[in-house]
């Protein structure tokens, strides 16, 4: 006869016969659930493998598109221009950044007296020459087109005083020059203390040409300085790059460039065709 008593049930009753006594480890230990990998790690690896972030190739493509759009705008619509000299003070100062409207004289628009224009002075203000060869010249052209580098010495900014058919006259010592016989009031823009000119002249502007002067006459080399040169110092309208409409930088000088009121009193040229639009 066995001396061992059967294991008691939880309510104190003996356990049924034939039930084996569980091991101590089975009685005190619960099964451990399997450990699953964190979901975050799976998500992160999936994002890395999917390649949804911006890579260097994507950024390079975006930069190329931006530069291409900017070049197209500069070529056909508007272009920044840096003022290189004192010749247009106080209207413009060295280092001012202008916005040049290239569409101002397109689609029927014409150059008017009083406009501040940016133009290519090759063969009128400077002799034509060969382009600078090599990558250095190309980089300078790109910098100028983007407005982050200087233009070469063939690009000028001046104010239009006479258009095709106009007669512009000045006698040394006079207080005002005349256009088509009418005195031109230049007090709105002429540099304080400057005379209208240091030399006298009497010229007739050929059709399709412009007579241009700087606002700071004593510091400007303009049409007056080239009267005896081939072309007579006149600028072909076709060489005008655009009209300077805004000073963009420095911020404190941000303003529009309006046509001075004095030009409203100038009559049309005698026998003029009016090919240059509103001349007054």
């Amino acid at each position: 006869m066995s001396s061992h008593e059967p294991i008691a049930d939880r309510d104190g009753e003996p356990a049924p016969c034939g039930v084996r006594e569980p091991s101590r480890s089975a009685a005190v230990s619960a099964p451990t659930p399997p450990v699953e990998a964190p979901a975050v790690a799976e998500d992160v690896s999936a994002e890395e493998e999917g390649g949804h972030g911006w890579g260097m190739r994507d950024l390079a493509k975006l930069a190329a598109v931006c530069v291409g759009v900017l070049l197209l705008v500069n070529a056909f619509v508007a272009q920044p221009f840096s003022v290189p000299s004192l010749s247009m003070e106080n209207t413009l100062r060295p280092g001012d950044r202008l916005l040049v409207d290239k569409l101002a004289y397109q689609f029927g628009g014409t150059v008017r007296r009083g406009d501040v224009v940016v133009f290519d002075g090759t063969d009128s203000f400077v002799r034509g020459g060969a382009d600078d060869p090599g990558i250095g010249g190309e980089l300078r052209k790109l910098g100028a087109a983007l407005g982050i580098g200087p233009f070469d010495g063939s690009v000028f900014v001046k104010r239009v005083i006479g258009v095709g058919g106009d007669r512009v006259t000045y006698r040394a010592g006079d207080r005002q020059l005349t256009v088509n016989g009418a005195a031109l009031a230049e007090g709105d823009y002429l540099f304080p203390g400057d005379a209208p000119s240091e030399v006298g002249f009497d010229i007739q502007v050929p059709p399709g040409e412009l007579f241009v002067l700087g606002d700071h006459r004593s510091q400007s080399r303009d049409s007056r300085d080239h009267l005896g040169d081939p072309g007579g110092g006149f600028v072909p309208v076709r060489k005008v790059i655009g009209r300077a409409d805004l000073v963009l930088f420095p911020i404190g000088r941000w303003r529009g460039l309006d046509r001075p009121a004095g030009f409203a009193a100038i009559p049309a040229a005698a026998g003029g065709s009016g090919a240059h639009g509103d001349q007054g």
Side-chain angles (χ1 to χ4, degrees):
M1 180 175 181
S2 173
S3 60
H4 294 285
E5 295 181 356
I7 299 174
D9 204 346
R10 288 188 178 182
D11 57 5
E13 296 297 329
C17 296
V19 177
R20 297 182 59 187
E21 179 181 357
S23 67
R24 184 175 299 273
S25 61
V28 298
S29 301
T32 304
V35 178
E36 298 182 359
V40 175
E42 183 178 353
D43 294 342
V44 171
S45 62
E47 182 177 350
E48 291 176 353
E49 292 177 2
H52 297 301
W54 284 86
M56 292 300 294
R57 182 176 298 179
D58 298 314
L59 293 175
K61 289 179 180 178
L62 179 61
V65 170
C66 291
V67 171
V69 171
L70 186 56
L71 288 173
L72 287 174
V73 171
N74 285 345
F76 300 107
V77 181
Q79 182 175 3
F81 175 83
S82 180
V83 178
S85 70
L86 303 171
S87 69
M88 285 296 292
E89 288 186 317
N90 279 329
T91 305
L92 304 173
R93 296 175 182 172
D96 281 355
R97 295 277 177 166
L98 308 178
L99 183 65
V100 178
D101 183 358
K102 290 190 167 185
L103 299 180
Y105 306 128
Q106 305 298 324
F107 311 110
T110 53
V111 182
R112 301 188 301 172
R113 302 187 201 94
D115 287 352
V116 176
V117 296
V118 174
F119 60 93
D120 178 3
T122 304
D123 297 327
S124 58
F125 279 28
V126 295
R127 293 182 179 179
D131 292 336
D132 185 10
I135 190 171
E138 295 302 320
L139 289 176
R140 278 189 288 273
K141 289 179 182 179
L142 177 61
L146 294 175
I148 58 177
F151 281 80
D152 61 29
S154 66
V155 179
F156 297 83
V157 55
K158 304 292 180 186
R159 189 180 299 278
V160 178
I161 302 298
V163 297
D166 285 344
R167 183 176 181 180
V168 185
T169 304
Y170 179 72
R171 291 190 304 174
D174 282 359
R175 300 182 62 181
Q176 292 177 306
L177 57 79
T178 64
V179 181
N180 300 331
L184 176 61
E186 298 190 278
D188 291 344
Y189 57 87
L190 192 64
F191 187 80
D194 268 10
S197 178
E198 296 175 354
V199 296
F201 52 83
D202 185 356
I203 57 94
Q204 186 95 23
V205 185
E209 307 279 331
L210 304 171
F211 184 79
V212 298
L213 300 176
D215 290 354
H216 194 170
R217 301 286 159 79
S218 61
Q219 295 292 325
S220 177
R221 293 185 59 83
D222 44 44
S223 289
R224 299 168 298 164
D225 297 278
H226 301 280
L227 292 174
D229 295 350
F234 302 113
V235 176
V237 172
R238 59 184 173 79
K239 290 293 191 75
V240 173
I241 297 170
R243 184 181 65 207
D245 281 352
L246 293 170
V247 178
L248 297 175
F249 185 83
I251 299 300
R253 288 179 52 75
W254 193 359
R255 63 191 180 89
L257 298 175
D258 299 325
R259 195 166 60 114
F263 289 92
I266 303 300
S273 64
H276 294 280
D278 178 11
Q279 303 296 328

